[in-house]
Amino acid sequence: MTCLGILLASALLPGAVAQAAPAPRVLLNQDFPDPDVLKIGSGYHAFATTGPSGRIPVAAAADADGPWRVAGDALAADPPWADPKGGYWAPDVTRRADGTFLMYYAAVSTRDRHRCIGTAVANSVAGPYQPTGDGPLICDPGDQGDIDPQTFQARDGTRYLLYKGERPGGGTSAIFVQKMTQDGTATDGPRTEILRADRPEENGVVEAPVITQRGGRFVLFYSADDFRNTTYQTRYATASALTGPYTKAGRPLLTTESIGRATEGPGGADVVGGRVFFHGWLNGQRAERGLFNLNLEFVKGVPQVS
């Protein structure tokens, strides 16, 4: 068997444990869950789920490894369709061709109490972002809620949005990809399901998708299990087309054990500039999730952390 064959076989082996990694770098030792990281010029910005710092906290750093500083609240106002008491979850920020910035976020709809995906725009990466529209962008009637938006822009410039759909009646969740208009503010055609929680270790949950493209292969990173559990983890799947079919790796990328229990429940990952950024529970408690990162490289097509 070739070296590549050995690597792929071990990655796809059912029940394989994650590669051992050094302790991750602690970037923010405070609540900053579901991080979305954006590199603009020589600096970095990160956005997080609602916390003590605001509706959508924003942090900044000159370098990926910090020091990071929470700069305040990126969302200027509550959108008219959302219940502010439900918070704003898992934001995603992308720069558009005209130089403006588009934010996706999930919030609780006052209409049916489900989480739906909305948009906001700003002229500066740090905001303030002004909510757009009288209603959510994505709120599929067949879902129990839609959350965890993440932008992917193909090499030909086509814009897509990945997100998690909750299934009614306690069914397993799924990840969808939706083609968008060029400005990112409207859908373009039907969505496609690309991943479903069908493995025992996923515990009925797949979420927090992010895709990178390596040559002709697409690598979909995602979180699995309940985020409140120690067994919450970051996994990945691969495909030769954006819409799949995706083959799940048997080996997770990050688990509580693989990072030496430096934090618990490593998930909500984003991949930027040779780093994987993720959150994890702080101090062995279930009160706050801090921001961490590790180096990420691809060895013969297989993602590895160091």
Side-chain angles (χ1 to χ4, degrees), residues 16-302:
V17 298
Q19 166 212 1
R25 290 174 284 268
V26 183
L27 304 181
L28 285 172
N29 194 28
Q30 65 186 83
D31 199 41
F32 203 83
D34 305 313
D36 176 69
V37 179
L38 191 66
K39 186 177 187 294
I40 298 295
S42 60
Y44 291 79
H45 286 79
F47 303 84
T49 287
T50 294
S53 301
R55 299 179 183 91
I56 295 181
V58 56
D63 184 81
D65 298 329
W68 285 82
R69 180 181 63 85
V70 176
D73 189 348
L75 190 61
D78 298 309
W81 57 270
D83 179 359
K85 294 181 181 179
Y88 300 93
W89 294 63
D92 171 77
V93 172
T94 181
R95 190 175 194 171
R96 300 193 289 188
D98 64 359
T100 62
F101 292 86
L102 175 66
M103 174 186 284
Y104 298 102
Y105 57 87
V108 175
S109 169
T110 55
R111 182 174 61 85
D112 58 13
R113 311 306 303 171
H114 293 165
R115 287 194 180 93
C116 304
I117 295 171
T119 56
V121 296
N123 291 321
S124 169
V125 61
Y129 287 81
Q130 298 289 343
T132 61
D134 295 328
L137 170 68
I138 293 176
C139 201
D140 194 282
D143 296 340
Q144 196 73 32
D146 298 304
I147 195 171
D148 292 354
Q150 181 70 221
T151 298
F152 176 79
Q153 193 155 8
R155 290 172 178 170
D156 65 1
T158 305
R159 184 182 293 274
Y160 297 89
L161 187 68
L162 303 160
Y163 64 92
K164 169 195 178 183
E166 298 279 13
R167 305 311 267 171
T172 57
S173 63
I175 291 172
F176 297 90
V177 61
Q178 170 68 64
K179 185 179 178 184
M180 305 297 293
T181 56
Q182 194 55 41
D183 67 358
T185 61
T187 60
D188 182 7
R191 67 181 186 175
T192 301
E193 180 181 319
I194 58 172
L195 207 75
R196 182 167 290 278
D198 56 7
R199 294 177 61 116
E201 63 269 24
E202 293 166 346
N203 199 21
V205 179
V206 291
E207 59 187 15
V210 58
I211 283 182
T212 63
Q213 189 171 0
R214 305 286 301 181
R217 301 288 291 175
F218 295 85
V219 182
L220 168 63
F221 297 92
Y222 65 97
S223 298
D225 206 334
D226 189 309
F227 76 92
R228 294 165 291 192
N229 294 340
T230 302
T231 47
Y232 193 62
Q233 59 193 263
T234 299
R235 306 188 66 89
Y236 67 96
T238 59
S240 58
L242 176 63
T243 54
Y246 282 83
T247 300
K248 294 180 179 179
R251 172 183 289 179
L253 183 73
L254 297 170
T255 68
T256 298
E257 300 300 333
S258 75
I259 56 175
R261 304 191 72 87
T263 184
E264 294 183 339
D270 198 8
V271 176
V272 179
R275 306 286 199 284
V276 56
F277 297 83
F278 57 95
H279 69 231
W281 293 108
L282 295 171
N283 307 317
Q285 305 294 319
R286 293 293 183 274
E288 294 183 323
R289 288 171 286 172
L291 177 64
F292 301 82
N293 80 3
L294 281 165
N295 295 336
L296 179 72
E297 60 180 339
F298 290 80
V299 179
K300 296 188 181 300
V302 178

